[in-house]
Amino acid sequence: MKQASKQYIPFQPLQWPNRQWPNKTITKAPIWCSVDLRDGNQALVTPMQLEEKLLMFKTLVDIGFKEIEVGFPSASETEYEILRTLIEGYHIPDDVTIQVLVQARPELIKKTFEAVKGAKNVIVHFYNSTSTLQRKVVFKEDMPGIIKIAVEGAKLIRQLTEEAIASSGMNIRYEYSPESFTGTEIDFAIEICESVMETLGATNENPIILNLPSTVEMSTPNTYADQIEYFCTKMKNREAAIISIHPHNDRGTGVAAAELALLGGADRIEGTLFGNGERTGNLDIVTVALNMYTQGVDPELDFSNILAVKKIYEACTKMKVPERQPYAGELAFTAFSGSHQDAIRKGYEYMAESDTPYWEVPYLPINPADLSREYEPVIRINSQSGKGGAAFVLQHAVGYRLPKEMHPEFGNIVKAASDAFGDELKEEQIVDLFNREYVEFDGKYKLASHSFLEQRELDGTTHTRFEGKIDVCGDMKEVAGVGNGPIDSFFQALAGIGVEGYEFVNYHEHAISRGSDAKGICYIELKIPGNGHIFGVGIDSNINVAALLGILCAINRAEK
Ligand code: KIV
Ligand code: ZN
């Protein structure tokens, strides 16, 4: 790469030592305005067709947007026709305001007013570029010339608005954007906005929306917050304006810029679902809204079925939401790392055991279920996963609660299988692996029949006698043994056919089904002759039998 300092002019931040925003937090939802159908749509390789625009519009309404920029009707016949269909087809609910964009040019403004005829609530959004660079390179105009363009546009808009209100009773509001605001000298931005406000007659009762776009994101997000706070503090007649922000995402910090600009005093946000928009996109409204939600602030937008919204978005825009997109990405609730998986499992256990009203699961800033996302795929198992992850999946899938001591053994089996498979293992594969390795393990010894006899002596001691048949590689052997309980007597019986040297270490059991045919699962840990430990698993409606099956399973696995 070339030497940066010889090629790029660093952004000159505003001097604003009085800034108050760093000490603030977001405590309420802003006014949201979706620009999916305009800024988002103009950035698509194939712009949305009528049906897609209608579906997207309905989706935005269902999410709860009350202000929706529907297009740039003076820019193309298609945009004009779509707007007419929205209005004439009665697709716009009474509590929703449609917004239309237009440049501050007389012929375009007139066409825009024709396009919105008959709509109940409209925001006429007009703009002209104000930045130093645009003035120099594109418009070749000085500051007064740029103010004149805005004021002339405002005069015509006011006149046409008053006529439309008088003739049709439409409710029309104004929005003005000094386009490329972030690259505009801030006092000049204030001056042009104040001139527009005065021309339009903005009042506290009828405020104008002043939209201060980060048309191009030019610096760190704190600089945008400074610009917004400075603007709000220095402008005249602050109460007669709704301060709106419109951050683009050129540096990848559109969401951060929006959040800090809210702290800086903005009242309203323009953005798109999943951040679609020109170049690197607009601000992602889903992320900003759900970030608020995770801080206990009601965003007043409904993303409770985020995957349905994503599906419609992808179908309409032909864009793909990236896998790691916050909240909506396919992998947003997936942890591959073992320590993360362990912590998530403990978090879910804590949520089940405690009666905390709060969401307290490490590594998951939001409850996936709040977005109608399943927590089943929360944990996926690959070769990077730890010992607890596979146990968690098993517990969730089939209710087996492996003792902690068994996690490493099964974790290693899963890891080896994942390495061999070369990919992550799905839940069904993990259950299948467990069944093959333990429950259905086909080894040398099989329990063919059994009976227990419990005897209590006069001195209070008890003995258990085990009698049964064990199939040893197809050869049926009668066995018997006496011990101080079923497990001990079984070990004595096994010694009779030469199975010796195993030491019983531990035993865990729990029910896995309910009712009269309830079954229990038993996890047995044995010390192997020589050294090392091994586990076996048995399932039966009789828990004593489940234990014998578990012992044979462990021995079979040791002798395979
Ligand atoms: O990014 C921008 O500045 C715009 C304006 C038209 C508001 O989209
Ligand atoms: Zn934009």
Side-chain angles (χ1 to χ4, degrees), residues 14-25 181-182 186-187 190 210 212 221-236 238 243-245 257-267:
L14 172 69
Q15 292 310 307
W16 181 233
N18 291 341
R19 63 178 69 81
Q20 300 299 312
W21 63 262
N23 299 325
K24 296 189 178 162
T25 48
F181 164 80
T182 41
I186 190 84
D187 292 316
I190 293 176
L210 290 179
L212 308 178
N222 58 306
T223 57
Y224 190 42
D226 275 356
Q227 288 173 319
I228 298 296
E229 190 178 271
Y230 182 99
F231 190 101
C232 290
T233 311
K234 300 277 180 174
M235 72 174 284
K236 281 190 231 141
R238 168 70 180 88
I243 301 299
S244 176
I245 52 170
E259 291 182 327
L260 300 191
L262 283 183
L263 301 181
D267 310 301

Side-chain angles (χ1 to χ4, degrees), residues 35 38-39 42 69 72 101 125-127 175 177-181 211-216 246-248 270 278-279 282:
V35 294
R38 195 279 299 171
D39 212 326
Q42 81 188 43
E69 191 163 85
F72 201 148
L101 182 72
H125 176 190
F126 70 111
Y127 73 95
E175 173 169 337
S177 293
E179 201 246 34
S180 57
F181 164 80
N211 187 46
L212 308 178
S214 173
T215 304
V216 178
H246 177 113
H248 277 268
E270 290 189 352
E278 286 287 24
R279 309 180 305 280
N282 281 72

